[in-house]
Amino acid sequence: MTSKPLGVAVLGLGNVGSEVVRILTENAADFEARVGAPLEIRGIAVRRIDGDRGVDASLLTDDPASLVEREDVDLVVEVLGGIDVPRKLIFSALEKGKSVVTANKALLAEYAGELNDAAEKSRADLYFEAAVAGAIPVVRPLMQSLAGDRVNKVAGIVNGTTNFILSAMDDTGADYAETLAEAGRLGYAEADPTADVEGYDAASKAAILASIAFHTRVTAGDVYREGISKITGEDLQTARSLDCTIKLLAICERITTPKGKERISARVYPALVPRNHPLATVNGAFNAVVVEAEAAGRLMFYGQGAGGSPTASAVLGDLVMAARNKFYGGRGPLESKYAKLKVAPIGDIPTRYYVSMQVADRPGVLATVAAEFSKRDVSISTVRQQDAGDGARLVVVTHVAADSALSETVSALEKLDVVTSVASVLRLEGTTE
Amino acid sequence: MTSKPLGVAVLGLGNVGSEVVRILTENAADFEARVGAPLEIRGIAVRRIDGDRGVDASLLTDDPASLVEREDVDLVVEVLGGIDVPRKLIFSALEKGKSVVTANKALLAEYAGELNDAAEKSRADLYFEAAVAGAIPVVRPLMQSLAGDRVNKVAGIVNGTTNFILSAMDDTGADYAETLAEAGRLGYAEADPTADVEGYDAASKAAILASIAFHTRVTAGDVYREGISKITGEDLQTARSLDCTIKLLAICERITTPKGKERISARVYPALVPRNHPLATVNGAFNAVVVEAEAAGRLMFYGQGAGGSPTASAVLGDLVMAARNKFYGGRGPLESKYAKLKVAPIGDIPTRYYVSMQVADRPGVLATVAAEFSKRDVSISTVRQQDAGDGARLVVVTHVAADSALSETVSALEKLDVVTSVASVLRLEGTTE
């Protein structure tokens, strides 16, 4: 006795969409057994219907809006990319009570709130495990497994392109530009790599993670962001000499201001990470997320953060959940936004700095430089000086201080006569001092 | 406007129960916001009501059966331990439609099927994230995030006591008995450590993981089990010389028999693991689980596998989910048991062996020993021989073969005149050869 099928619309037939369609088709019996009813693909929306797309051609349509509205579509999978088009389609689906699974981090980082409101109103589900860290279950653990805990920090490597580049620079000693070019040749970087290398992709994911972890709506605009395009081979060498490597981190953190207010922070930047930290060992295109919660302690999740199959795995897990809810009645976990915590500006965040500068090689330089730190109550942890060309290279690593005090110190250093140039400024993460 | 509270019964006030009560009480406002309604503890069942238990004494009862049956109890948290008593209580709760959260692996490994049937019948929830690997989300990712994927293998370090002992033996070179005693002094081993060191606890978890991963009911009796009590300091030294360490692994695997039948395996034993394998770096009382799925690839989950707070975190995450379902209507994911795969006997499992033996030091010994392997089509990967006391120590590492062929080879070796004794036999995991 077979139950009435549930209809699925797939929007997009790129890397992820093709894998979603392939797995849904090949493992149809498993999906039916797991959901309780068969999942039937009603249509696949593509930009242009042409050539052999490797799927049943009769399913293809270039009219996603009509597909989404079809009476016999119960579930919509959105893997189009972009913002405006998928946004309208997802709204339209949710308003009609169809549940939606999306991998679209950029969309969610801007419009998760409105989309969740629409889902709430029509009692539909909105799932998006695939939007952060591909196949790695992070959204669901944060939203459900840790629902009874208090998350203090989420820190992760959530962009494979930049991690590939930084790992390769660390391995080969090569510089940024040539490594980016190599990443492009190998298919790890897109033709326009801006979203990845400037940290926009990671910032979208940070917004999503912070929203869930802190029960507060956080959008991409709330996330402080720096990319990796200024990292040099020399930075990685210096990092190595400090027993560190450099990673682009997405960090979501609960902090208490000096006045005792509870705030949150969401930020993305390349940072020095000690080599014995679990995130330092995450290489190539892999992703990892570390979660620190009050009762659970430190948890780490590791796996493939991108790619057609891994992302399809996350999409399909959500699809089974959404379909089960349709079949048995019931809903997935709702948005939790009650805490309404304020986002602290980057200047208020306690961080540590690594500053590498070219200085004149004469007596008193170190004293002059050190004075700029102490003026702003910034305590120095490590100093290294070595002869370099015309003058000397001075590397200072600080203890924790307010980011504003640290950045003001750097501005002051740049104005000093004895400092020829500040070659590099990076934050240091993954330590407790 | 406050919604009608949901009533919670807590059964057990040990390490985990006390933390559950403390966190529920201290963070009551958060729980209310996350669930939609306040959670109110209706009673706490303890064996004896005496002394100051650090909780509101009016909540204590030594009559758990009556507590569970109270009209105003909607949700039951079972953290008692044992099998017969919690089994009756959980059945009673589920039959009355109360949702249950339990951390009881031993109970689930025997009776998950019947308990799930009872939950199904009354449309109540049965959650048990805390039963495997403490705070680490493993049950929910396998059951939900990977619901659209095909899991091929789950391999994990899921017992903190044995991992503490093996890590310490690896660090210090000490022998098993003294390390166990030290673990007892430090609170990492119980007065009667049998359930941990003989692998019963890990086997319960393997049964739970295999059931979920393979959509098949697997009980503790289906799990092949060996403990760590025969591991010697010398084994760890030899492991080190092979660039390995020794870990007690719980392994759940999908295999294809030589005749092309699909089978599953669930097994627990100490095994050599290469030092560059992610599980080799999991030390002390930590747990980690590696999942290999067809689309997702390899995922790893890491964190604290035991202890009051971490386990309470997992229990409370489940409690919030079960409570949300009560409040909004709806249910958690149901048991998925449709695949009904058969469990292969250990003899049919492809494994690799490490065999360490004391042999006579004379010509022809190696040929005689090697012949026993080749007779059974077991291919040898590594051989090491060194003088040792009266004769020589011979260490053989094989390639993959059926476990029965390997164990028959060992039996044959034990009967050889030239073999004084087989000192140690361990399997080798985490390699693909």
Side-chain angles (χ1 to χ4, degrees):
Chain A
M1 194 190 64
T2 303
S3 305
K4 188 166 159 279
L6 292 163
V8 179
V10 179
L11 312 182
L13 194 63
N15 283 342
V16 181
S18 325
E19 277 297 282
V20 166
V21 170
R22 181 186 68 76
I23 296 170
L24 268 180
T25 311
E26 285 179 14
N27 302 339
D30 281 311
F31 281 96
E32 177 173 351
R34 294 176 192 183
V35 168
L39 295 184
E40 282 183 12
I41 299 178
R42 303 294 185 212
I44 304 168
V46 292
R47 212 157 295 160
R48 279 185 314 276
I49 305 172
D50 54 7
D52 180 10
R53 303 294 296 263
V55 300
D56 178 352
S58 71
L59 291 174
L60 295 177
T61 170
D62 56 7
D63 181 2
S66 303
L67 173 58
V68 160
E69 292 187 6
R70 274 173 61 163
E71 284 284 329
D72 62 352
V73 164
D74 305 288
L75 303 145
V76 174
V77 171
E78 187 273 308
V79 286
L80 285 167
I83 293 192
D84 289 343
V85 172
R87 181 180 164 222
K88 279 184 201 136
L89 293 168
I90 292 177
F91 265 114
S92 157
L94 292 173
E95 277 168 4
K96 293 186 179 57
K98 298 165 201 282
S99 290
V100 173
V101 177
T102 175
N104 195 325
K105 52 225 124 189
L107 173 64
L108 289 163
E110 295 290 349
Y111 298 107
E114 297 170 34
L115 294 171
N116 275 308
D117 287 343
E120 176 86 5
K121 213 167 151 190
S122 66
R123 298 184 57 83
D125 280 334
L126 174 66
Y127 280 102
F128 49 89
E129 180 66 70
V132 183
I136 312 171
V138 175
V139 170
R140 182 169 279 108
L142 275 174
M143 203 182 267
Q144 301 188 31
S145 307
L146 291 162
D149 207 333
R150 183 182 166 87
V151 175
N152 289 320
K153 190 168 181 177
V154 181
I157 294 169
V158 294
N159 180 271
T161 304
T162 48
N163 202 50
F164 177 86
I165 294 171
L166 293 172
S167 299
M169 288 173 71
D170 193 29
D171 285 349
T172 63
D175 236 317
Y176 172 74
E178 55 180 303
T179 312
L180 172 61
E182 175 71 7
R185 277 192 294 275
L186 294 171
Y188 288 112
E190 295 188 39
D192 176 359
T194 312
D196 292 316
V197 300
E198 296 304 345
Y200 291 98
D201 174 78
S204 292
K205 291 162 180 170
I208 296 170
L209 290 173
S211 300
I212 303 169
F214 305 130
H215 304 268
T216 293
R217 283 187 177 175
V218 179
T219 62
D222 296 321
V223 182
Y224 176 82
R225 180 194 50 74
E226 290 177 24
I228 66 160
S229 55
K230 287 177 197 154
I231 303 291
T232 62
E234 202 178 341
D235 287 330
L236 278 150
Q237 277 166 37
T238 317
R240 187 175 282 271
S241 75
L242 295 163
D243 245 342
C244 288
T245 187
I246 298 174
K247 295 291 184 190
L248 182 73
L249 299 182
I251 301 173
C252 310
E253 198 170 10
R254 190 191 292 275
I255 61 166
T256 306
T257 65
K259 287 182 184 161
K261 305 258 186 204
E262 189 173 31
R263 292 282 184 271
I264 56 175
S265 156
R267 52 196 202 268
V268 169
Y269 45 64
L272 270 72
V273 178
R275 287 203 178 261
N276 61 8
H277 190 279
L279 290 176
T281 60
V282 177
N283 286 321
F286 280 82
N287 278 194
V289 176
V290 173
V291 176
E292 290 171 18
E294 217 142 277
R298 186 196 265 183
L299 302 170
M300 179 160 155
F301 307 84
Y302 173 88
Q304 293 185 63
S309 292
T311 309
S313 171
V315 165
L316 289 168
D318 281 351
L319 185 64
V320 169
M321 289 303 120
R324 278 192 195 169
N325 291 341
K326 284 275 173 206
F327 184 70
Y328 287 103
R331 299 174 66 186
L334 307 175
E335 183 190 19
S336 178
K337 58 182 182 190
Y338 72 92
K340 296 189 175 60
L341 294 169
K342 286 193 180 140
V343 178
I346 184 71
D348 288 359
I349 308 302
T351 57
R352 298 181 68 182
Y353 268 35
Y354 144 96
V355 185
S356 165
M357 57 206 126
Q358 188 71 18
V359 297
D361 193 5
R362 60 173 193 250
V365 168
L366 186 57
T368 310
V369 166
E372 292 300 330
F373 285 90
S374 72
K375 256 188 232 174
R376 294 167 185 86
D377 271 342
V378 175
S379 164
I380 291 175
S381 160
T382 315
V383 177
R384 294 205 185 178
Q385 184 168 346
Q386 60 180 66
D387 290 341
D390 242 8
R393 175 85 157 192
L394 185 64
V395 171
V396 176
V397 178
T398 75
H399 284 297
V400 171
D403 201 90
S404 55
L406 291 160
S407 64
E408 281 162 23
T409 306
V410 171
S411 301
L413 293 172
E414 281 169 336
K415 287 175 199 138
L416 290 181
D417 282 347
V418 297
V419 173
T420 318
S421 68
V422 173
S424 190
V425 179
L426 286 168
R427 292 178 187 83
L428 175 62
E429 295 285 341
T431 66
T432 49
E433 290 143 80
Chain B
M1 192 191 65
T2 302
S3 304
K4 189 167 158 277
L6 291 164
V8 179
V10 179
L11 312 182
L13 194 62
N15 283 342
V16 180
S18 326
E19 277 297 281
V20 165
V21 170
R22 181 185 68 75
I23 296 170
L24 268 179
T25 310
E26 285 180 13
N27 302 338
D30 282 311
F31 282 96
E32 178 173 351
R34 294 176 192 183
V35 169
L39 295 183
E40 281 182 12
I41 299 178
R42 302 294 185 212
I44 303 167
V46 291
R47 211 157 295 160
R48 279 185 313 277
I49 305 170
D50 53 8
D52 180 9
R53 302 294 295 263
V55 299
D56 177 352
S58 70
L59 290 174
L60 296 177
T61 169
D62 55 8
D63 181 3
S66 303
L67 173 59
V68 161
E69 292 186 8
R70 274 173 61 163
E71 283 284 327
D72 62 353
V73 165
D74 305 289
L75 302 145
V76 174
V77 171
E78 187 272 309
V79 286
L80 284 167
I83 293 192
D84 289 343
V85 172
R87 181 179 165 223
K88 280 185 198 137
L89 294 169
I90 292 178
F91 265 113
S92 157
L94 291 173
E95 277 168 5
K96 292 185 180 56
K98 298 163 201 283
S99 290
V100 173
V101 177
T102 175
N104 196 325
K105 52 224 123 188
L107 173 64
L108 290 163
E110 295 289 349
Y111 298 107
E114 298 170 34
L115 295 171
N116 275 308
D117 287 343
E120 176 85 6
K121 211 167 151 190
S122 66
R123 298 184 56 81
D125 280 334
L126 175 65
Y127 280 102
F128 49 89
E129 180 65 73
V132 183
I136 312 171
V138 176
V139 170
R140 182 169 280 108
L142 275 174
M143 204 183 268
Q144 301 188 31
S145 308
L146 291 161
D149 208 332
R150 182 180 166 87
V151 175
N152 289 321
K153 190 168 181 178
V154 181
I157 294 169
V158 293
N159 180 272
T161 303
T162 48
N163 202 48
F164 176 86
I165 293 171
L166 292 172
S167 299
M169 288 173 72
D170 193 28
D171 285 348
T172 63
D175 237 316
Y176 171 75
E178 56 181 300
T179 312
L180 171 62
E182 176 70 7
R185 276 192 294 276
L186 293 171
Y188 287 112
E190 295 189 38
D192 176 0
T194 312
D196 291 316
V197 300
E198 296 304 346
Y200 291 99
D201 174 77
S204 293
K205 292 162 179 170
I208 296 170
L209 290 173
S211 301
I212 304 169
F214 305 130
H215 304 268
T216 293
R217 283 187 178 175
V218 179
T219 62
D222 297 319
V223 182
Y224 177 82
R225 179 195 50 74
E226 292 176 21
I228 66 161
S229 55
K230 286 175 195 153
I231 304 290
T232 63
E234 203 177 340
D235 287 330
L236 279 151
Q237 277 167 38
T238 317
R240 186 174 282 271
S241 75
L242 295 163
D243 245 340
C244 288
T245 186
I246 298 174
K247 295 292 185 188
L248 183 73
L249 299 182
I251 301 173
C252 310
E253 198 170 9
R254 190 190 293 273
I255 62 167
T256 307
T257 65
K259 287 182 184 160
K261 305 258 186 205
E262 189 174 30
R263 294 282 184 270
I264 56 173
S265 155
R267 53 198 202 267
V268 169
Y269 45 64
L272 269 70
V273 178
R275 287 203 179 262
N276 62 7
H277 190 279
L279 290 176
T281 60
V282 177
N283 286 322
F286 279 82
N287 279 194
V289 176
V290 172
V291 177
E292 290 171 18
E294 217 142 278
R298 186 196 263 184
L299 302 169
M300 178 160 155
F301 307 85
Y302 173 88
Q304 293 186 64
S309 292
T311 309
S313 171
V315 165
L316 290 167
D318 281 351
L319 184 65
V320 169
M321 288 303 120
R324 278 193 195 168
N325 291 341
K326 284 274 173 205
F327 184 70
Y328 287 102
R331 300 174 66 186
L334 307 175
E335 182 189 21
S336 178
K337 60 183 181 190
Y338 72 92
K340 295 189 176 63
L341 295 169
K342 285 193 180 142
V343 177
I346 183 72
D348 289 358
I349 308 303
T351 57
R352 298 181 68 182
Y353 268 35
Y354 144 95
V355 185
S356 166
M357 55 206 127
Q358 187 71 18
V359 296
D361 194 4
R362 60 172 193 252
V365 168
L366 187 56
T368 311
V369 166
E372 293 300 329
F373 285 89
S374 71
K375 256 188 234 175
R376 294 168 186 85
D377 271 340
V378 175
S379 163
I380 291 175
S381 161
T382 315
V383 177
R384 293 205 186 178
Q385 182 166 349
Q386 61 180 65
D387 291 340
D390 242 8
R393 174 85 157 193
L394 184 64
V395 171
V396 176
V397 178
T398 74
H399 284 298
V400 170
D403 202 272
S404 55
L406 291 160
S407 65
E408 281 160 24
T409 307
V410 172
S411 301
L413 292 173
E414 281 169 337
K415 287 176 199 134
L416 290 180
D417 282 347
V418 297
V419 174
T420 319
S421 69
V422 174
S424 190
V425 180
L426 284 169
R427 292 177 187 85
L428 174 62
E429 295 286 341
T431 66
T432 47
E433 292 143 79

